[in-house]
Amino acid sequence: MLQVSVLKEQTDRVLAGLTKRNFPNAEAEVQRVLELDQRRRQLQTEHDSAQAEANKLAQQIGALMKSGDKAGAEELKTRTATLKQQTKTAAEELTGVEKELQDALYRIPNVPHDSVPAGRSADDNEVVREVGNKPELPGGALPHWDLIKKLDIIDFELGNKITGAGFPVYKGQGARLQRALINFFLDEAMAAGYTEMQPPILINEASGYGTGQLPDKEGQMYHATADDLYLIPTAEVPITNLYRDEIIAAERLPIRNAGYTPCFRREAGSWGAHVRGLNRLHQFDKVEIVEIDLPERSYQTLEHMLGHIEQLLQKLELPYRVLRLCGGDMGFTSALTYDLEVWSAAQQRWLEVSSCSNFETYQANRLKLRYRDENNKTQLLHTLNGSALALPRIVAALLENNQQADGTIRLPEVLHRYCGFAQLG
């Protein structure tokens, strides 16, 4: 969440950024935060003053009792009782105002970086670059949802039988391809200097609030209500929360972690041809990279992360493009997001396979994730993450783009040793 000090001292910049996001009632929401903060400060002063006076009177009562002035002591005791009630009333109201202030801050999204283009939808995203050549497919080429049936490598009907729609079963070469991609992505992350983590795939409410999935995306997460735990939508959540409520020594920075997890998303309301097959699942596999760094170098870090993801796509021989998301298409917590999309030759459209984002201090403020500067003062860190990569649409593109005239699927050379075979079928 945004810091109150930022809303107070940089109001015009915040409002301009929220306008770029098309955030409704931005001025009223910001003003509400400032009013609540002012009331919070007033109540805190009243509470502290009453408490201080009560403590001072307690000392005086002791002195009066020692001197034998019981009447004077009783008079001060009456005043002390009044002050204690004032302190209690102020504390109760302060708790309520602090909760209102927190909720108001949760409603305000992050301020976009200056480089974020204005816009309302994905149609307004900026194409940064396009890399690779779109393949020409042989006659009779099929989309991946037909290929997986023909090759008998992924079974949606079996998944629907045991769970429901959007939970496929991977079989034979399909299962081995999944494992190969996960291992390839993890090995590449380790070679790039990331430390592998294997976090829990269930999180508590505090973790959801820490990275911003709560309250913004509560309806998109699976909630195990008996234990009040949530299935993770991405490894970003548990890996970033490893550092919640910590002060990180500057010499430990940057922190660079990577982790593979299954991911779970309800995707309520998703339907149509664009979500057919592997294009949109409720459960999928993904390798995530997460970095924590100093504010002054976080955008250099973001570009480094983007480069790592791009080289994965290059090694997989997939044509791709990089987009800078516009204000209206960005995630709630992000300051700047790059999306990476691969070309689906059979579907004749781009498929998103990764988002790479800098959240600046937005998550760190919720997480209370800090470091000590050269003056030994605590400051908020910047958090970043990126998909490196999500598997379903990668598999879809590999299947569609590498169809051969004999009906087999050629696999990129980098996967041969991981799969133990060079083609599907």
Side-chain angles (χ1 to χ4, degrees), residues 294-315:
L294 297 168
E296 59 265 28
R297 65 187 186 205
S298 69
Y299 278 95
Q300 180 181 348
T301 298
L302 180 64
E303 295 300 322
H304 179 269
M305 295 171 73
L306 179 62
H308 172 73
I309 298 166
E310 287 192 68
Q311 63 88 21
L312 294 177
L313 295 173
Q314 291 163 13
K315 289 182 178 181

Short mmCIF file of all heavy atoms in Angstrom, two decimals, residues 294-315:
data_model
loop_
_atom_site.label_atom_id
_atom_site.label_comp_id
_atom_site.label_asym_id
_atom_site.label_seq_id
_atom_site.Cartn_x
_atom_site.Cartn_y
_atom_site.Cartn_z
N LEU A 294 17.43 -2.51 -3.35
CA LEU A 294 17.41 -1.11 -2.95
C LEU A 294 16.60 -0.28 -3.94
O LEU A 294 16.62 -0.56 -5.16
CB LEU A 294 18.83 -0.56 -2.87
CG LEU A 294 19.75 -1.22 -1.83
CD1 LEU A 294 21.20 -0.77 -2.06
CD2 LEU A 294 19.30 -0.85 -0.43
N PRO A 295 15.89 0.74 -3.49
CA PRO A 295 15.08 1.56 -4.38
C PRO A 295 15.86 2.16 -5.55
O PRO A 295 15.35 2.21 -6.68
CB PRO A 295 14.54 2.66 -3.45
CG PRO A 295 14.50 2.03 -2.11
CD PRO A 295 15.70 1.12 -2.07
N GLU A 296 17.11 2.58 -5.29
CA GLU A 296 17.85 3.28 -6.34
C GLU A 296 18.29 2.39 -7.49
O GLU A 296 18.69 2.88 -8.55
CB GLU A 296 19.08 3.99 -5.76
CG GLU A 296 20.06 3.10 -5.05
CD GLU A 296 19.83 3.03 -3.55
OE1 GLU A 296 18.67 3.22 -3.11
OE2 GLU A 296 20.81 2.80 -2.81
N ARG A 297 18.22 1.07 -7.33
CA ARG A 297 18.64 0.21 -8.44
C ARG A 297 17.56 -0.80 -8.85
O ARG A 297 17.82 -1.74 -9.61
CB ARG A 297 19.94 -0.50 -8.09
CG ARG A 297 19.88 -1.47 -6.94
CD ARG A 297 21.27 -1.99 -6.58
NE ARG A 297 21.20 -3.04 -5.57
CZ ARG A 297 22.20 -3.33 -4.75
NH1 ARG A 297 23.33 -2.65 -4.82
NH2 ARG A 297 22.07 -4.32 -3.88
N SER A 298 16.33 -0.62 -8.37
CA SER A 298 15.29 -1.63 -8.64
C SER A 298 14.89 -1.68 -10.12
O SER A 298 14.51 -2.74 -10.62
CB SER A 298 14.06 -1.40 -7.76
OG SER A 298 13.37 -0.23 -8.13
N TYR A 299 14.96 -0.55 -10.82
CA TYR A 299 14.57 -0.59 -12.23
C TYR A 299 15.65 -1.22 -13.09
O TYR A 299 15.35 -1.85 -14.12
CB TYR A 299 14.15 0.80 -12.72
CG TYR A 299 12.72 1.07 -12.31
CD1 TYR A 299 12.44 1.76 -11.13
CD2 TYR A 299 11.66 0.56 -13.04
CE1 TYR A 299 11.12 1.95 -10.72
CE2 TYR A 299 10.35 0.74 -12.64
CZ TYR A 299 10.08 1.44 -11.47
OH TYR A 299 8.78 1.60 -11.06
N GLN A 300 16.89 -1.12 -12.67
CA GLN A 300 17.96 -1.87 -13.33
C GLN A 300 17.74 -3.36 -13.09
O GLN A 300 17.93 -4.19 -14.00
CB GLN A 300 19.32 -1.43 -12.76
CG GLN A 300 20.51 -2.13 -13.37
CD GLN A 300 21.83 -1.67 -12.76
OE1 GLN A 300 21.89 -0.67 -12.04
NE2 GLN A 300 22.89 -2.42 -13.03
N THR A 301 17.33 -3.70 -11.88
CA THR A 301 17.02 -5.09 -11.54
C THR A 301 15.87 -5.62 -12.40
O THR A 301 15.91 -6.75 -12.88
CB THR A 301 16.66 -5.21 -10.05
OG1 THR A 301 17.79 -4.81 -9.27
CG2 THR A 301 16.25 -6.62 -9.68
N LEU A 302 14.84 -4.80 -12.60
CA LEU A 302 13.70 -5.20 -13.42
C LEU A 302 14.15 -5.56 -14.84
O LEU A 302 13.70 -6.56 -15.40
CB LEU A 302 12.65 -4.09 -13.46
CG LEU A 302 11.40 -4.37 -14.29
CD1 LEU A 302 10.59 -5.53 -13.70
CD2 LEU A 302 10.52 -3.12 -14.39
N GLU A 303 15.01 -4.73 -15.41
CA GLU A 303 15.49 -5.01 -16.77
C GLU A 303 16.31 -6.29 -16.82
O GLU A 303 16.24 -7.05 -17.79
CB GLU A 303 16.32 -3.82 -17.28
CG GLU A 303 15.53 -2.53 -17.45
CD GLU A 303 14.38 -2.65 -18.43
OE1 GLU A 303 14.54 -3.35 -19.46
OE2 GLU A 303 13.31 -2.04 -18.18
N HIS A 304 17.06 -6.55 -15.76
CA HIS A 304 17.85 -7.78 -15.68
C HIS A 304 16.92 -9.00 -15.64
O HIS A 304 17.16 -10.02 -16.30
CB HIS A 304 18.74 -7.74 -14.44
CG HIS A 304 19.57 -8.98 -14.26
ND1 HIS A 304 19.14 -10.07 -13.53
CD2 HIS A 304 20.80 -9.31 -14.72
CE1 HIS A 304 20.06 -11.01 -13.55
NE2 HIS A 304 21.08 -10.58 -14.25
N MET A 305 15.85 -8.90 -14.85
CA MET A 305 14.88 -10.00 -14.76
C MET A 305 14.20 -10.22 -16.11
O MET A 305 14.00 -11.37 -16.54
CB MET A 305 13.84 -9.68 -13.69
CG MET A 305 14.41 -9.61 -12.28
SD MET A 305 13.22 -8.97 -11.08
CE MET A 305 12.09 -10.37 -10.92
N LEU A 306 13.84 -9.14 -16.77
CA LEU A 306 13.22 -9.23 -18.09
C LEU A 306 14.14 -9.94 -19.07
O LEU A 306 13.70 -10.81 -19.85
CB LEU A 306 12.87 -7.83 -18.59
CG LEU A 306 12.23 -7.73 -19.98
CD1 LEU A 306 10.90 -8.46 -20.02
CD2 LEU A 306 12.05 -6.27 -20.38
N GLY A 307 15.43 -9.60 -19.03
CA GLY A 307 16.40 -10.24 -19.91
C GLY A 307 16.50 -11.74 -19.65
O GLY A 307 16.65 -12.53 -20.60
N HIS A 308 16.43 -12.14 -18.39
CA HIS A 308 16.48 -13.56 -18.05
C HIS A 308 15.29 -14.30 -18.67
O HIS A 308 15.45 -15.40 -19.25
CB HIS A 308 16.47 -13.73 -16.53
CG HIS A 308 16.32 -15.16 -16.10
ND1 HIS A 308 17.33 -16.09 -16.21
CD2 HIS A 308 15.24 -15.84 -15.59
CE1 HIS A 308 16.90 -17.27 -15.77
NE2 HIS A 308 15.64 -17.14 -15.39
N ILE A 309 14.10 -13.71 -18.55
CA ILE A 309 12.90 -14.36 -19.10
C ILE A 309 12.98 -14.43 -20.62
O ILE A 309 12.62 -15.45 -21.24
CB ILE A 309 11.65 -13.60 -18.65
CG1 ILE A 309 11.53 -13.64 -17.11
CG2 ILE A 309 10.39 -14.19 -19.28
CD1 ILE A 309 10.52 -12.66 -16.54
N GLU A 310 13.47 -13.38 -21.24
CA GLU A 310 13.59 -13.38 -22.70
C GLU A 310 14.52 -14.48 -23.20
O GLU A 310 14.24 -15.13 -24.21
CB GLU A 310 14.07 -12.01 -23.19
CG GLU A 310 13.03 -10.91 -23.10
CD GLU A 310 13.44 -9.67 -23.87
OE1 GLU A 310 13.51 -9.73 -25.11
OE2 GLU A 310 13.70 -8.64 -23.21
N GLN A 311 15.64 -14.69 -22.49
CA GLN A 311 16.58 -15.71 -22.98
C GLN A 311 15.98 -17.12 -22.85
O GLN A 311 16.35 -18.02 -23.61
CB GLN A 311 17.94 -15.59 -22.29
CG GLN A 311 17.97 -15.79 -20.80
CD GLN A 311 18.17 -17.23 -20.38
OE1 GLN A 311 18.67 -18.04 -21.17
NE2 GLN A 311 17.76 -17.58 -19.17
N LEU A 312 15.06 -17.31 -21.91
CA LEU A 312 14.35 -18.60 -21.84
C LEU A 312 13.54 -18.83 -23.11
O LEU A 312 13.56 -19.91 -23.69
CB LEU A 312 13.43 -18.64 -20.62
CG LEU A 312 14.06 -18.61 -19.23
CD1 LEU A 312 12.96 -18.59 -18.16
CD2 LEU A 312 14.98 -19.80 -19.01
N LEU A 313 12.82 -17.79 -23.53
CA LEU A 313 12.00 -17.91 -24.73
C LEU A 313 12.86 -18.09 -25.97
O LEU A 313 12.49 -18.84 -26.90
CB LEU A 313 11.11 -16.67 -24.87
CG LEU A 313 10.07 -16.48 -23.76
CD1 LEU A 313 9.36 -15.14 -23.90
CD2 LEU A 313 9.06 -17.62 -23.77
N GLN A 314 14.01 -17.45 -25.99
CA GLN A 314 14.92 -17.62 -27.13
C GLN A 314 15.45 -19.04 -27.20
O GLN A 314 15.54 -19.63 -28.28
CB GLN A 314 16.05 -16.60 -27.02
CG GLN A 314 15.61 -15.16 -27.23
CD GLN A 314 16.62 -14.14 -26.74
OE1 GLN A 314 17.77 -14.48 -26.45
NE2 GLN A 314 16.21 -12.89 -26.63
N LYS A 315 15.80 -19.61 -26.05
CA LYS A 315 16.30 -20.99 -26.04
C LYS A 315 15.21 -21.98 -26.42
O LYS A 315 15.52 -23.05 -26.95
CB LYS A 315 16.89 -21.31 -24.66
CG LYS A 315 18.21 -20.59 -24.39
CD LYS A 315 18.80 -20.96 -23.04
CE LYS A 315 20.13 -20.27 -22.83
NZ LYS A 315 20.77 -20.61 -21.52
#
